[in-house]
Amino acid sequence: MFFRWRTMFYIASVPGVVLALGMEFAVDSPRWLCKVGMLNDAKAVISNLWGESEVDKAIQEFQAVIKNDGSDLDGQWLELLEEPHSRVTFIGGALFMLQQFAGINGVLYFSSLTFQDVGITDGALASLFVGITNFAGALCASYLMDKQGRKQLLIGSYTGMAVSMFLVVCAISLPLDEDLGHNLSILGTLLYMFTFAIGAGPVTGLIIPELSSSRTRGKIMGFSFCVHWVCNFMVGLFFLDLVEMFGVAPVYAGFGGVSLLSASFAYYFIVETKGRSLEEIEMSMNSNYQAGDK
């Protein structure tokens, strides 16, 4: 046992080392290069990433947004309460809050206990199922992200999560054959993980910086992730108590209800960003943008 937990930490450190080494080969952001006046370097990066034909257009958009918005170093936290930043701040905080209260980390943290309740007593096997399902969902998300759009993926993802949770509730609550009930519960749990990995997981972290202006992007992301970790902590702290108090079925029904609420939120509040540059998105959302700078 002493060897096994040390080995786990050694293995977990490998992706971090690979990422740190890989960042040495990453190029500087052309937006940052343009902001600090290194236009030639910015043009070179744009040419390599997007093609020579995009250089002039991209530089014009960068300079127009910088001129209108100013530096992110000049931004103040109170600006998050002002339009158009307050709208994105609200969307960012709400998306992460709904993501966590839809139950993903409750199911993830305690998946082995959940699987035990439906007949799978091997915790390692349960975690393996969850990991493979998450990986498959992430692969699908990488393919669908720019084909279906962020908004559609969010709506479909949360709808699928709701259906999955209600499937588990029915399997636990209805007088079904024991084997059938166990199989439906396992199917519902894995389907929940898969649909989360397709949209609610990756899209939430992607669309918030896309909607944010360059002036307040860092602060909005900081606020949003604070909401994320507070809600994450609350779910981890109270999940087992709620299951002990009410049972698995009512708790999962609550997760399904929040998932439906999240799908409705995405439908009414999320702006589609597929196929648009950060500058185009910022110009479209900022009513104070100077028409003469476009």
Side-chain angles (χ1 to χ4, degrees):
M1 181 63 68
F2 178 79
F3 173 76
R4 289 178 62 186
W5 75 259
R6 283 183 176 273
T7 303
M8 274 177 19
F9 280 107
Y10 290 146
I11 294 174
S13 69
V14 173
V17 173
V18 172
L19 180 61
L21 293 176
M23 289 302 296
E24 292 296 320
F25 301 96
V27 297
D28 289 318
S29 164
R31 294 175 176 87
W32 179 83
L33 291 171
C34 188
K35 183 178 294 186
V36 298
M38 302 172 65
L39 291 182
N40 290 333
D41 291 338
K43 290 178 180 179
V45 173
I46 294 169
S47 179
N48 290 332
L49 293 178
W50 303 331
E52 187 68 31
S53 61
E54 296 293 323
V55 172
D56 291 337
K57 176 185 175 184
I59 292 295
Q60 289 176 3
E61 289 182 349
F62 294 166
Q63 291 178 330
V65 169
I66 292 170
K67 180 180 178 181
N68 183 77
D69 237 5
S71 170
D72 53 349
L73 298 177
D74 299 328
Q76 302 295 322
W77 282 98
L78 289 178
E79 291 182 34
L80 301 188
L81 302 177
E82 303 172 357
E83 287 290 347
H85 312 305
S86 60
R87 179 186 179 189
V88 182
T89 303
F90 166 71
I91 291 174
L95 277 179
F96 271 122
M97 181 182 69
L98 292 170
Q99 180 201 68
Q100 293 304 304
F101 288 156
I104 180 59
N105 282 312
V107 179
L108 271 176
Y109 289 160
F110 308 105
S111 59
S112 59
L113 297 179
T114 303
F115 274 75
Q116 283 179 16
D117 193 61
V118 297
I120 296 181
T121 57
D122 189 336
L125 181 61
S127 297
L128 178 63
F129 285 153
V130 170
I132 292 175
T133 303
N134 260 316
F135 181 69
L139 289 179
C140 292
S142 65
Y143 175 76
L144 295 172
M145 191 76 70
D146 288 318
K147 292 183 178 295
Q148 300 299 321
R150 283 74 157 138
K151 182 174 182 176
Q152 187 172 342
L153 276 184
L154 272 179
I155 296 172
S157 174
Y158 277 119
T159 302
M161 290 165 63
V163 172
S164 303
M165 286 291 93
F166 293 141
L167 178 62
V168 175
V169 171
C170 291
I172 295 174
S173 303
L174 297 179
L176 302 175
D177 176 76
E178 184 176 356
D179 289 338
L180 176 61
H182 287 169
N183 290 334
L184 287 178
S185 295
I186 296 169
L187 175 63
T189 301
L190 295 179
L191 183 62
Y192 172 86
M193 295 287 186
F194 181 78
T195 51
F196 174 87
I198 285 181
V203 173
T204 301
L206 175 66
I207 199 169
I208 298 171
E210 288 184 334
L211 293 175
S212 306
S213 72
S214 58
R215 182 180 179 87
T216 57
R217 185 170 292 126
K219 292 179 174 61
I220 289 176
M221 287 302 296
F223 167 79
S224 300
F225 274 106
C226 283
V227 173
H228 169 274
W229 286 113
V230 168
C231 295
N232 184 317
F233 172 78
M234 292 176 64
V235 170
L237 182 65
F238 294 113
F239 176 77
L240 285 181
D241 291 337
L242 291 173
V243 168
E244 184 177 348
M245 187 179 304
F246 300 107
V248 174
V251 173
Y252 275 27
F255 290 160
V258 175
S259 297
L260 286 179
L261 177 63
S262 303
S264 299
F265 180 87
Y267 179 81
Y268 287 108
F269 289 95
I270 297 301
V271 177
E272 183 56 69
T273 60
K274 180 185 72 171
R276 304 166 70 189
S277 70
L278 296 178
E279 288 70 33
E280 290 172 338
I281 298 167
E282 182 171 347
M283 292 175 191
S284 67
M285 295 192 67
N286 191 346
S287 60
N288 297 323
Y289 193 85
Q290 298 172 11
D293 291 335
K294 295 184 180 181

